[in-house]
Amino acid sequence: MGIPKPTAERLSQLARLLEQRGKPGTPISSAEIEHLTGWPSHTIRKDISALAAESDISTNSGYDPRTLAKAIKQALGFSIETNKCCIVGLGRLGSAFLEYSGFQSSPFLLCAGFDSNVNRIEILKADFPLFPTFKMKEVISRLAIRYAILCVPPAQAQATADKLIECGVTGIANFTPSILSVPSGIEVENVSIIDALGSLAARLAAKRSLQ
Amino acid sequence: MGIPKPTAERLSQLARLLEQRGKPGTPISSAEIEHLTGWPSHTIRKDISALAAESDISTNSGYDPRTLAKAIKQALGFSIETNKCCIVGLGRLGSAFLEYSGFQSSPFLLCAGFDSNVNRIEILKADFPLFPTFKMKEVISRLAIRYAILCVPPAQAQATADKLIECGVTGIANFTPSILSVPSGIEVENVSIIDALGSLAARLAAKRSLQ
DNA sequence: AGTTGTGAAGGTATTCACAGCG
DNA sequence: CGCTGTGAATACCTTCACAACT
């Protein structure tokens, strides 16, 4: 019941791939997706079958990109509601997300930024308002924000996370190298460049060892 | 044979946690790690047992943080050699990594940055040299760089990746929203804020649905 | 007591192989 | 035929339960 986590991750990336591929009219086969992504074609077919979508998704020469992308987004709940997010910590990393282009076709909406340095808030520009940290409680509850992108210095990570949770945030994308501890019911996703490089190295080492 | 991927990810984070915890002398129990991370204590014990480490790693009241951290790093190949990395694309996101503090206790060494905008290279400061893009081939092969952190605009992502691979890079941490296609033998790790938020949302939805 | 360590059981995801369809 | 779709087999990871140790 429900879509397996690894499957959901692949499908989410597949939807992005379909959009960036262009040629929305010409069908795409599981073999072509294998070539583009490296995932075996049978895995892709299984993943797609988990969508339990209508049958007009595929033809005799592959999948229809538009229909498939739509089916994926629907199955993953991307269209049901837009989830509000805020950025916390507008240093180099945090402020980089102010102009990140990837949010458009996603179910997530950036709608606030916070930093304890009032000066920064006045200098930086964004499509949504920026606030000093002491207004966090008021803004997060007023806008009903449920997700936070945490980009503060490592030493402040845990304290800031605690505060966010108190304000009603239930999901934290943690760009800090700190490991956060949170009460049950709250989810954290660690987005660490070190972990990313680590798993690259591990996979390359695994390949090496089997000749 | 070999350490399972999910286990390796948890252990890598655990090593960071042990270091940031302080008190390197006082033992830590699997129950305490469960409290800090949310991973069940039996999973942690299984993970640690996969290290096949010497027995002085644990006492009757828990694990010795220093010994455990060392054992993890060794098992994950963190100490065998330092892996050289470069940053490609020094816009907001890329330049943020120039001052990222998480590299110290990792097996990865940032040793070059590239951008096509010569002006940026002169303005930005880093502990390692920055080069214009046309020197990529020469620098990457001279320094024997094998990992790249890709931070260019999405439209240039695939072309830049192709070039990096041609230069000898075998692992790419892709911070771009683009999905890259690469030949076999090359590994890509997608580090996407959208995917991170997506998996947060999926996990929270799963929790909701089971009451 | 309170801890780790681990074989065995259970659950999930991947891979296979081939049926079915245009 | 080339393609998708899917039950069955396999491999993998997690969870359990309890023995062993201090």
Side-chain angles (χ1 to χ4, degrees):
Chain A
M1 266 213 11
I3 294 178
K5 193 184 131 172
T7 292
E9 267 163 36
R10 283 189 299 266
L11 287 173
S12 162
Q13 299 194 18
L14 177 55
R16 287 217 305 281
L17 181 128
L18 292 172
E19 279 163 9
Q20 79 187 38
R21 173 178 179 256
K23 0 180 205 169
T26 57
I28 188 170
S29 68
S30 58
E32 184 177 348
I33 297 173
E34 167 168 0
H35 178 249
L36 291 170
T37 62
W39 307 320
S41 63
H42 47 73
T43 299
I44 293 155
R45 291 199 301 275
K46 246 296 197 266
D47 287 350
I48 291 173
S49 84
L51 295 174
E54 284 106 63
S55 56
D56 64 346
I57 208 174
S58 65
T59 71
N60 57 340
S61 63
Y63 301 94
D64 175 60
R66 260 181 303 227
T67 319
L68 178 53
K70 197 158 62 178
I72 291 173
K73 291 189 173 184
Q74 184 184 316
L76 298 182
F78 275 26
S79 36
I80 295 173
E81 56 183 326
T82 65
N83 304 293
K84 293 184 178 176
C85 313
C86 62
I87 302 179
V88 186
L90 299 171
R92 277 204 179 271
L93 185 60
S95 62
F97 292 125
L98 298 182
E99 52 179 41
Y100 186 72
S101 59
F103 280 90
Q104 272 83 333
S105 58
S106 84
F108 299 98
L109 178 70
L110 268 182
C111 58
F114 298 98
D115 198 294
S116 54
N117 184 334
V118 180
N119 212 22
R120 259 186 207 153
I121 294 168
E122 288 168 355
I123 293 170
L124 292 168
K125 282 176 185 171
D127 294 339
F128 47 87
L130 307 179
F131 303 94
T133 308
F134 67 82
K135 287 198 178 170
M136 229 162 63
K137 179 94 188 193
E138 188 259 315
V139 173
I140 288 180
S141 57
R142 176 160 53 83
L143 299 180
I145 292 171
R146 290 292 166 266
Y147 296 88
I149 299 162
L150 189 65
C151 302
V152 299
Q156 298 164 32
Q158 182 65 57
T160 309
D162 293 344
K163 206 171 169 188
L164 283 166
I165 293 164
E166 198 190 310
C167 294
V169 163
T170 54
I172 298 176
N174 177 28
F175 279 76
T176 290
S178 299
I179 304 295
L180 303 175
S181 51
V182 298
S184 75
I186 308 295
E187 290 289 336
V188 175
E189 179 80 12
N190 293 307
V191 186
S192 161
I193 190 172
I194 302 296
D195 290 340
L197 290 169
S199 66
L200 279 177
R203 271 183 281 162
L204 286 169
K207 269 189 184 170
R208 279 259 153 75
S209 75
L210 52 82
Q211 194 53 238
Chain B
M1 265 217 8
I3 294 178
K5 193 185 133 173
T7 292
E9 267 163 35
R10 284 189 298 266
L11 287 173
S12 162
Q13 298 194 15
L14 177 56
R16 287 219 303 282
L17 181 127
L18 292 172
E19 278 162 8
Q20 78 188 37
R21 172 176 179 257
K23 359 181 206 169
T26 57
I28 189 169
S29 68
S30 57
E32 185 177 348
I33 297 172
E34 167 168 1
H35 178 249
L36 290 170
T37 61
W39 307 320
S41 63
H42 46 74
T43 299
I44 293 156
R45 292 200 299 276
K46 248 290 197 272
D47 287 350
I48 291 173
S49 84
L51 295 173
E54 283 106 64
S55 57
D56 64 346
I57 208 175
S58 65
T59 71
N60 57 339
S61 62
Y63 301 94
D64 176 61
R66 261 181 303 226
T67 319
L68 178 54
K70 198 159 60 180
I72 291 173
K73 291 189 174 183
Q74 185 184 315
L76 298 183
F78 276 26
S79 36
I80 295 172
E81 54 183 327
T82 65
N83 304 292
K84 293 184 179 177
C85 313
C86 63
I87 303 180
V88 185
L90 299 170
R92 277 204 180 272
L93 185 60
S95 62
F97 292 125
L98 298 181
E99 51 178 42
Y100 185 73
S101 59
F103 280 90
Q104 272 82 335
S105 57
S106 85
F108 299 98
L109 178 70
L110 268 181
C111 57
F114 299 98
D115 198 292
S116 53
N117 183 334
V118 181
N119 212 20
R120 258 185 207 155
I121 293 167
E122 288 167 355
I123 293 170
L124 291 168
K125 283 177 185 171
D127 294 339
F128 47 87
L130 307 179
F131 303 94
T133 309
F134 67 82
K135 289 199 176 168
M136 228 163 64
K137 179 94 190 193
E138 189 259 313
V139 173
I140 288 180
S141 57
R142 178 161 51 84
L143 299 180
I145 292 171
R146 290 291 167 267
Y147 296 88
I149 299 163
L150 189 65
C151 302
V152 299
Q156 298 165 32
Q158 182 65 57
T160 309
D162 293 344
K163 206 172 170 188
L164 283 166
I165 293 165
E166 197 190 310
C167 294
V169 162
T170 54
I172 298 177
N174 176 27
F175 279 77
T176 289
S178 298
I179 304 296
L180 303 175
S181 52
V182 299
S184 75
I186 309 295
E187 289 289 336
V188 175
E189 179 80 10
N190 292 307
V191 187
S192 160
I193 190 173
I194 302 297
D195 290 340
L197 290 168
S199 66
L200 280 177
R203 271 183 281 162
L204 286 168
K207 268 189 184 170
R208 279 261 153 74
S209 75
L210 51 82
Q211 191 56 237

